Amino acid sequence: MTDGRLTDREELLDALRPTSFAIAYRMLGSVSEAEDVVQEALLRVHQSLDAGDEIASPRAFVATVTTRLAINELKSARARRERYVGEWLPEPIITDGSDSPDDPARHAETADSLSLAMLVLLESLSPEQRAVLLLHDVFGYGYPEITDIVGKAEDNVRQLASRARQQVKSRRPRFTTTREQQRELASRFFAAARDGDLAALESLLAHDVELTGDGGGKVPALARSLRGRSRVAHTLTNWLRALARFPQVSMRPVEVNGGPGAIYVDDQDRVLGVWSLDITDGEITGIRSIVNPDKLSHLGEVGDVVAIIQSAR
């Protein structure tokens, strides 16, 4: 009987993990921070069951605990991000071809709310606004349920959601592109990048395209974002010409946070960086390059970008 109860408990916690991670990752934009929150949330479920507490809805219980923990974590994380060297970007997850039960990408839904572009937008919201918007618009919780989760009156919850929605809507693109169009455009982009075809590359970029790099002060990256088709195209071309000097570096197109992207690896398949593309209305409007090794370790063994660069000198 004891073994059976333990098995049931483990199955319940495993079933709750995807919900907890999906909320925590969208709240925090960090795999490592989200996993810490998930572990604590599941521990509290375990402790409540051990104490003989009645949990009418385990999913609602874990959503409540996860959200509250994530709000607290986000408040402290923002202080750290203010001291961050260079541009801060969310930690990417690879959302295609993953069968491993330990892969956190499997625990998050591939939807617009998962995109790096959306996670960056959510950074402009307060922790409470972010929680209310995600719980209502992404996870489908009603306002009375959210009131219990965040501990605020329903009128306040509705106001938080309305203000958050307006703020996000004002900065989101008005036009969308189908997934098939995204894949086709991304394929052309990476082909032009491999060929060093500046004209082809430039033709795929929006006039106000933005290029952002995140090295965290640990590897070379852009100090600040670049805007404009010509500047971005020339910068990308220079980057790719420099990469051509390193035959041990290769690029593999992958789906990043539910959208088109690529992962760069060395000749031992160690991760060097991840690119994510924002595509809107048939044009590439944003390119994000994440090379901070601390933000790549959950994807596998991380290579040494600095050592590769120094080896060519």
Side-chain angles (χ1 to χ4, degrees), residues 39-278:
Q39 287 300 107
E40 178 62 25
L42 295 181
L43 176 62
R44 295 194 184 186
V45 174
H46 182 77
Q47 291 172 336
S48 292
L49 292 172
D50 273 351
D53 297 339
E54 288 282 343
I55 301 180
S57 172
R59 184 176 181 274
F61 183 90
V62 82
T64 299
V65 175
T66 299
T67 301
R68 291 175 180 174
L69 289 171
I71 287 173
N72 291 337
E73 176 63 26
L74 189 57
K75 288 176 179 177
S76 62
R78 289 196 164 177
R80 296 193 298 272
R81 291 171 193 177
E82 288 176 0
R83 302 189 298 269
Y84 194 79
V85 178
E87 298 278 356
W88 182 92
L89 290 175
E91 292 180 17
I93 56 177
I94 307 303
T95 49
D96 60 347
S98 174
D99 297 319
S100 169
D102 295 323
D103 185 346
R106 187 177 69 86
H107 301 146
E109 301 164 23
T110 48
D112 180 56
S113 64
L114 188 61
S115 72
L116 291 185
M118 180 54 125
L119 293 178
V120 169
L121 277 181
L122 291 175
E123 281 292 302
S124 65
L125 306 179
S126 72
E128 289 80 8
Q129 284 179 323
R130 190 165 181 164
V132 169
L133 182 69
L134 287 170
L135 289 170
H136 185 271
D137 289 10
V138 176
F139 297 104
Y141 286 90
Y143 288 119
E145 295 174 284
I146 299 173
T147 294
D148 293 334
I149 292 173
V150 300
K152 291 184 178 294
E154 186 171 335
D155 285 348
N156 290 341
V157 166
R158 289 180 179 273
Q159 288 178 354
L160 285 169
S162 176
R163 290 169 183 165
R165 205 172 288 120
Q166 290 174 1
Q167 192 166 333
V168 169
K169 184 178 179 181
S170 68
R171 298 175 59 188
R172 291 181 72 184
R174 295 182 180 180
F175 305 100
T176 59
T177 305
T178 66
R179 291 179 69 85
E180 292 74 18
Q181 290 172 327
Q182 286 184 351
R183 284 193 288 266
E184 191 272 336
L185 192 62
S187 177
R188 289 165 55 198
F189 170 84
F190 288 117
R194 282 192 299 266
D195 297 340
D197 189 336
L198 176 62
L201 203 60
E202 196 165 342
S203 71
L204 301 172
L205 305 179
H207 74 278
D208 58 349
V209 62
E210 183 176 45
L211 173 63
T212 305
D214 180 347
K218 300 189 175 185
V219 296
L222 291 173
R224 59 187 61 84
S225 297
L226 290 181
R227 278 189 176 275
R229 178 184 292 147
S230 179
R231 292 181 71 195
V232 169
H234 278 87
T235 299
L236 289 175
T237 303
N238 290 336
W239 280 4
L240 295 162
R241 282 175 182 162
L243 275 177
R245 296 164 49 205
F246 309 110
Q248 69 269 52
V249 177
S250 60
M251 181 272 290
R252 201 163 57 227
V254 293
E255 185 180 274
V256 178
N257 287 67
I263 187 168
Y264 283 82
V265 297
D266 65 13
D267 52 3
Q268 298 181 51
D269 210 34
R270 294 176 298 196
V271 181
L272 301 173
V274 169
W275 280 16
S276 171
L277 305 182
D278 301 336

Side-chain angles (χ1 to χ4, degrees), residues 30-32 35 91-92 104 263 270-274 290-303:
S30 163
V31 172
S32 55
E35 287 180 335
E91 292 180 17
I263 187 168
R270 294 176 298 196
V271 181
L272 301 173
V274 169
I290 300 150
V291 289
N292 182 346
D294 292 344
K295 295 189 175 183
L296 303 173
S297 59
H298 61 281
L299 300 176
E301 187 177 358
V302 179

